[in-house]
Structure formats: C-alpha cells, structure tokens
Amino acid sequence: MHLSRRDLLTIFLGAPFAYAACSSESSSRFPEGEIVGQSVTLGHILRENRNFDVPPDNWETKNVAIVGGGVAGLSAAWKFRKENFNDFVLLELEKEVGGTARSGQGEPVNYPWGAHYLPVPFQENAELISFLDEMSLIEGRDAFGEIVVKEQFLCREPEERVFYKGRWYEGLYMTAGASDEDKRQYDEFQKQLDHWVNWRDAAGKRAFVVPIAMCSTDATVTSLDKISFADWLRQNGFTSNRLVWYCDYACRDDYGSKLDQTSAWAGLFYFCSRVRKSGAESQPFITCPEGNGQFVNHFFDKVKDNVRRSQVVVSVVPNEKGVDVICLDGNELRGIHCAKAIFASPMFTAPYVIRGFRDDAPFAANEFQHNAWFVANLFLKDRPKPRFTKDFPLAWDNVLYESPSLGYVTATHQKGIDYGPTILTYYYPMCAEENGRTKLFDYGWRDLADVCLTDLARAHSDIYELTTRIDIMRWGHAMISPRPNFIWSGVREKAMKPSRNIHFAHTDVSGIALFEEAFYHGLRAAREILS
Ligand SMILES: Cc1cc2nc3c(=O)[nH]c(=O)nc-3n(C[C@H](O)[C@H](O)[C@H](O)COP(=O)(O)OP(=O)(O)OC[C@H]3O[C@@H](n4cnc5c(N)ncnc54)[C@H](O)[C@@H]3O)c2cc1C
C-alpha cells in the first residue's frame, strides 16, 4: 500500500500525533526484523478450490482427530491422555502448536506472541487447578479453600504503570489530577461492580464468573448483552474522561474492541468475573516471560506423541461411519478415518472446511466475528532511560494513555532481571476502523515497525537507539468479538452441541477469548467423546 508516512501514522496513531512525529526530522537508525508466524496457507488452499482426493495408500484410521493445536485442542489432547485414551491425533497447521498463546525463544528470556497471563482460578474451577497443580505452580490452600500459587509465578511488582502527558504513573486508572467529580464517579463505578460481584440468581449462580458456562442465565444479567458498554456507562451517568478511558482500555485489552463495540455484559464481565467478593482485589495474575506459552509448552510435553505439526486440515467429511479428516502434509494429501473429530480451529473456518456445513448449518458461523491485532517483539540492548529521576519505574505492563495501542509488556520483569537487554512485547488492536483485519494485511513489516517505534518514542526517546531487532506477528483473526447481542443470542449454545460426530471446542464458542475458556471447551469436547 502506497501511503505517505504521515498518512500511515495518522491511520494508526491519530492526526495530531502523526503531525508532530513527522515534523521533528529524525536521523534515527531503523532496526532490522521481519513479519513472523501465522501462515496464510489455509486461506489460499481453500480459495484455490483444489481437489482433495487422497491416494488410497495415504489413509489411516484413528478413533479421534483434533483439528487445531491452540489451547483448546491441546486441552482436549491433555484430557485424553489423562484418561489413558491414546487413539487420537492432533493436527496443527503451523510449525508450532499454541495458536494465539504461542511464544518465542530468545535471549535473555523467552517472550509471548499473544496471551501473556492467567488470573488465579477460583477454587470451583477444579480441572484448571489440577492442571496448574500438575505444573507444580500451587503451594497450598488458604483458610477459605482458595489455591495459593507459588510467589515466583505471580506477577511481580510493579505490575502496571500508565504514561500520561509526559510521565509515568503507577496503576492503570489515572488518579493523579482527578477532580472531585472524577473521584465520585470512580467510587460509584466501584459500587456498581460490587453490586454485580455480590449478585446471585435464584440458583445461587454468580452474574459473572470464569468459565462463562457457570454464569447465571437470568435475564437480569443477560439483558446487559443487548447494549454496548459505552451505552451502559452513559445510562449510569458515567462521563468522567478518565473513567471512560479506563473502561475503553479494558475492552481493547481483553477483547480488542472499543467501548461502543463491546457489549455491556462483556465489559462488566472483565471487571467482575475474577473478583471473589465485593471489596476484594481481582485475582492475581500467573505469568512468566513467555506468558501463556508456559502452559502450551506443558501441554505439548504431555501430548507430543499425538501431535502432528505443519498439517493443514483442508476437509472434514462427516459420513455414516464417522468423520474423514483430510490434511495437506507438505504437498501430500493424507486422510484419517475417524469415529469423531474435535474442531478446535476458529469457528468461521467451519463452513470452508467441513463438507456439507453450508447445506445444513448447525449454527451461524458468520456470527463468530473476530478482531485483528498486530503484536511486535522489540529486542533491546538496554533499558530505556527514565525521563525524570522520580518517574514511576518500568513495570510488567506499560500502557500509553494517549495511544490507541495497549503499550507493552516487559519479558524480563518476572525473572527479576532489571538491568541490561530485554524484550518488550507491544500490542496494537485494530479496532479503530471497520475491516481492521483486511487492512492489517495491507501493511508490511516496515510500516508496522514504524508505527510501533513512533508510538513508543513518545515515552522513550531512546527507543530507536536501543532496539536491535523488531519482529511482527499479524493476527488476522486474533480474538472473537463480544459485540452487543452476540454472547447471549443463542448462537453459542447451538455451536456447543456436537453435529455429525464433530465437537466444536475453540474459545470462540465462549464469545470471549481467554485461556480458561479454551481450556474449558477443550475438556468439554474430550469428555463428550470419552463418555
Ligand atoms: C494478542 C493476544 C493477546 C492475548 N492475551 C491473552 C491473555 O493474556 N490471557 C488470556 O487468557 N488470553 C489471551 N488471549 C486469548 C487466548 O490466546 C485465546 O483465548 C486462547 O489461547 C485460544 O485458544 P484456542 O485453541 O481456542 O484458539 P487459537 O489460539 O486460535 O488456536 C487455534 C489453532 O488452530 C490452528 N488451525 C486453524 N485452522 C486449522 C486447520 N485448518 N488445520 C489445522 N490447524 C488449524 C491454528 O493454527 C491455531 O494453532 C490473547 C489473544 C491474542 C490474539
């Protein structure tokens, strides 16, 4: 795409900032790097309308095939192995498993390419706890039966800081300079959250909890899905700029969508689902340099004998005996006769891959819409210099208030390596424009690297000098969009039912992209098959 630098920066960072960035002539050196990951093979192959006739010698038989090796597919595989069921294969199109929770290997530490934390689960989430226990992350239980995670796996202080008008402040909500009215609205907002944290339906179910399958289906709560979070804030008299920013940040951070693109149910879910009781802090975060890559690596270790990578599943054919799964292994077509399949790849791909899906659709696949992101990993030879001696120090999560990006996470933080080289993972959700996904692929490495460095330079003037390399991942279908009228519209319930021996397990089925949701659906699908 031929755009001037100013146009490019205007699209991504806004006109005033682009103007300022382009007027100050810079002789800064530009680091090297490349676009990595996410193969676009599947899309190309399916569009080519190829013939998928498998040579007779290339057929084999397995009881179950799992399509997709993200957290959902890996969780299903983990459950199978835990239950001593071994007659299955997991097929992943990429060279590495993990999907949006995959990580990279580097120096001085590894780093995430997407998901980077998991809040400590409540005691009710027994299967997730047993997984964390298997990883030796748990130290014991507290007096109330909640798990205690070993300190080295819990996000280290300082956790978060925000850059606002030239300096860094602790936390994410901007308390510095808040007016009395800002404070009143913030307190009132907390009261509303407390109300929903304490709320129980007639059966004793919480309004918001993880996994979503445990949430109340009472209309008092689900009706919140009908309006946007922006409307909910307006209806409740919340107009304070910093509060509105805080809520918008939350939606962009967890869902890749803005306030007015997110349902009020999803907005409140973000704030309430990980708070045990009113007044309590949200559950602490489990993290490590490679983020949720640590869980992916553990899964892989347990199930690697059943995993086949670089296998593009091009056709899933239900028949009277079960399901035939056809995949492209390099240039060779291979087929697997199975009794059942777990479909753990994004739901929108179902009509393209599953034969006959469109003729008798079990659910409306086009309702599963995604937001796009780009993620950049910057390899720094040293830490950015603080602008003031009293500036709040580098944290795990570093957010830029005036930027449409989400800022960056510091990979070395959790290891307590506070000096010398580090890796910063920069996140940019493409939610400012319609068709963010299509547009994302119009931009090449140089464009996106320029956006990232220019954005970070507002807080770190030495970023060009320090960055030796910048690699970029474009996530076209990064996260399911919990837009108004989606989560409780009924479409997810239909997708959760097996259809023609195919069980759907991708996190999309929850309407929210989270590790816990992918894990829940992977286990659900595996359990359905085992039973
Ligand atoms: C930038 C970003 C940040 C995130 N941060 C967090 C976070 O901090 N915490 C959190 O809990 N969640 C986070 N998430 C969400 C989290 O990563 C996901 O909810 C979860 O990992 C999804 O797992 P999944 O298996 O359902 O799907 P995916 O990760 O989408 O995996 C699907 C897999 O299927 C494969 N596949 C697709 N089609 C085929 C085919 N035809 N044949 C074979 N294989 C196929 C894909 O290659 C992929 O590996 C983040 C997501 C993104 C994009």
Side-chain angles (χ1 to χ4, degrees):
M1 196 189 250
H2 293 293
L3 280 177
S4 69
R5 180 162 185 255
R6 183 175 298 180
D7 287 343
L8 172 81
L9 298 180
T10 300
I11 290 168
F12 280 86
L13 302 172
F17 184 68
Y19 181 77
C22 293
S23 348
S24 54
E25 221 16 84
S26 135
S27 56
S28 318
R29 55 172 277 285
F30 208 83
E32 56 182 38
E34 61 184 337
I35 294 276
V36 297
Q38 268 232 303
S39 133
V40 282
T41 348
L42 178 64
H44 287 158
I45 294 169
L46 296 174
R47 271 196 297 275
E48 280 168 7
N49 256 338
R50 285 199 209 176
N51 175 357
F52 298 135
D53 279 344
V54 180
D57 289 349
N58 281 5
W59 281 99
E60 65 181 308
T61 302
K62 290 272 174 196
N63 212 320
V64 181
I66 302 172
V67 182
V71 170
L74 289 167
S75 303
W78 176 78
K79 177 74 178 167
F80 281 155
R81 291 299 299 257
K82 237 176 130 64
E83 302 296 334
N84 295 318
F85 174 74
N86 206 10
D87 188 13
F88 74 94
V89 62
L90 182 153
L91 305 160
E92 165 56 47
L93 76 82
E94 300 286 350
K95 287 200 270 310
E96 301 297 333
V97 292
T100 51
R102 120 173 54 131
S103 56
Q105 291 185 332
E107 282 297 330
V109 289
N110 297 339
Y111 51 89
W113 272 120
H116 47 286
Y117 69 90
L118 167 72
V120 173
F122 290 161
Q123 56 180 293
E124 290 82 354
N125 203 341
E127 283 188 299
L128 183 51
I129 290 174
S130 102
F131 171 71
L132 299 178
D133 206 18
E134 185 182 278
M135 286 184 70
S136 303
L137 264 55
I138 299 177
E139 194 166 78
R141 300 258 175 177
D142 69 10
F144 305 98
E146 298 293 343
I147 58 163
V148 178
V149 169
K150 291 178 187 164
E151 201 178 334
Q152 66 267 36
F153 300 109
L154 291 178
C155 188
R156 190 179 152 240
E157 293 290 331
E159 205 168 290
E160 294 149 340
R161 65 174 182 168
V162 59
F163 186 78
Y164 181 64
K165 294 199 189 298
R167 61 172 300 175
W168 290 99
Y169 296 88
E170 183 175 13
L172 286 178
Y173 175 77
M174 273 298 305
T175 43
S179 67
D180 288 347
E181 178 58 12
D182 288 326
K183 288 179 194 153
R184 187 196 68 73
Q185 289 196 23
Y186 183 75
D187 291 344
E188 185 54 35
F189 180 68
Q190 293 302 330
K191 278 190 204 144
Q192 294 264 5
L193 299 184
D194 282 350
H195 163 77
W196 286 115
V197 166
N198 289 339
W199 188 94
R200 298 290 181 274
D201 68 10
K205 284 189 161 183
R206 290 174 60 113
F208 305 104
V209 71
V210 181
I212 288 175
M214 303 305 147
C215 290
S216 171
T217 53
D218 190 296
T220 320
V221 200
T222 57
S223 59
L224 290 163
D225 196 46
K226 293 193 173 19
I227 57 167
S228 71
F229 199 25
D231 282 341
W232 183 87
L233 287 168
R234 270 192 293 272
Q235 286 172 13
N236 285 278
F238 296 122
T239 52
S240 154
N241 282 343
R242 53 190 71 208
L243 177 61
V244 171
W245 176 88
Y246 182 50
C247 294
D248 184 60
Y249 163 81
C251 295
R252 287 183 293 123
D253 185 43
D254 247 33
Y255 309 136
S257 52
K258 294 193 293 178
L259 266 185
D260 54 348
Q261 299 164 331
T262 309
S263 93
W265 188 94
L268 290 166
F269 174 90
Y270 174 94
F271 287 104
C272 302
S273 59
R274 274 79 168 256
V275 180
R276 182 84 256 188
K277 53 181 197 269
S278 61
E281 295 270 310
S282 194
Q283 293 291 92
F285 293 160
I286 301 173
T287 190
C288 75
E290 65 267 44
N292 290 5
Q294 70 170 323
F295 306 126
V296 168
N297 296 341
H298 182 80
F299 279 130
F300 183 66
D301 197 44
K302 296 285 171 192
V303 304
K304 54 178 171 296
D305 294 344
N306 302 76
V307 171
R308 295 184 197 164
R309 291 171 283 182
S310 303
Q311 305 288 313
V312 191
V313 173
V314 287
S315 192
V316 173
V317 189
N319 53 40
E320 60 289 349
K321 291 198 194 131
V323 197
D324 286 346
V325 175
I326 299 171
C327 59
L328 201 58
D329 174 8
N331 279 327
E332 192 137 19
L333 277 171
R334 297 190 185 283
I336 310 168
H337 298 300
C338 309
K340 308 236 177 213
I342 292 181
F343 196 84
S345 26
M347 302 298 274
F348 79 93
T349 63
Y352 300 97
V353 176
I354 300 175
R355 176 104 41 101
F357 186 99
R358 287 196 177 91
D359 304 333
D360 182 16
F363 56 86
N366 61 354
E367 288 293 317
F368 291 85
Q369 294 169 15
H370 292 81
N371 297 321
W373 290 60
F374 85 84
V375 176
N377 269 301
L378 293 87
F379 300 82
L380 269 61
K381 60 184 178 196
D382 206 349
R383 309 300 154 108
K385 285 197 185 56
R387 297 158 67 105
F388 311 101
T389 37
K390 287 202 178 141
D391 221 2
F392 194 78
L394 187 66
W396 173 63
D397 195 9
N398 305 268
V399 176
L400 307 169
Y401 189 97
E402 286 146 313
S403 165
S405 78
L406 294 167
Y408 61 89
V409 164
T410 316
T412 42
H413 180 81
Q414 195 57 19
K415 287 280 177 215
I417 308 171
D418 291 335
Y419 300 94
T422 189
I423 301 162
L424 308 182
T425 310
Y426 171 88
Y427 292 90
Y428 189 105
M430 300 284 294
C431 51
E433 292 179 87
E434 289 283 306
N435 302 325
R437 188 182 64 79
T438 354
K439 291 194 177 142
L440 176 61
F441 287 89
D442 287 342
Y443 303 104
W445 171 81
R446 172 81 198 203
D447 298 329
L448 299 177
D450 195 6
V451 168
C452 165
L453 289 164
T454 311
D455 192 17
L456 291 180
R458 64 172 100 215
H460 304 302
S461 52
D462 47 359
I463 196 76
Y464 289 92
E465 197 187 306
L466 295 172
T467 307
T468 55
R469 184 175 179 85
I470 172 168
D471 288 337
I472 292 175
M473 176 90 77
R474 293 175 298 189
W475 293 111
H477 298 273
M479 289 182 182
I480 184 80
S481 157
R483 62 193 196 284
N485 278 318
F486 173 63
I487 292 185
W488 296 105
S489 64
V491 67
R492 297 185 310 110
E493 286 74 2
K494 286 188 188 154
M496 249 178 267
K497 295 206 179 93
S499 163
R500 289 170 285 176
N501 295 316
I502 303 169
H503 298 245
F504 296 90
H506 193 271
T507 188
D508 286 0
V509 180
S510 281
I512 280 186
L514 287 177
F515 176 90
E516 301 96 308
E517 299 296 335
F519 180 81
Y520 172 83
H521 288 294
L523 264 57
R524 171 188 55 75
R527 215 180 291 114
E528 286 165 3
I529 288 179
L530 292 170
S531 70

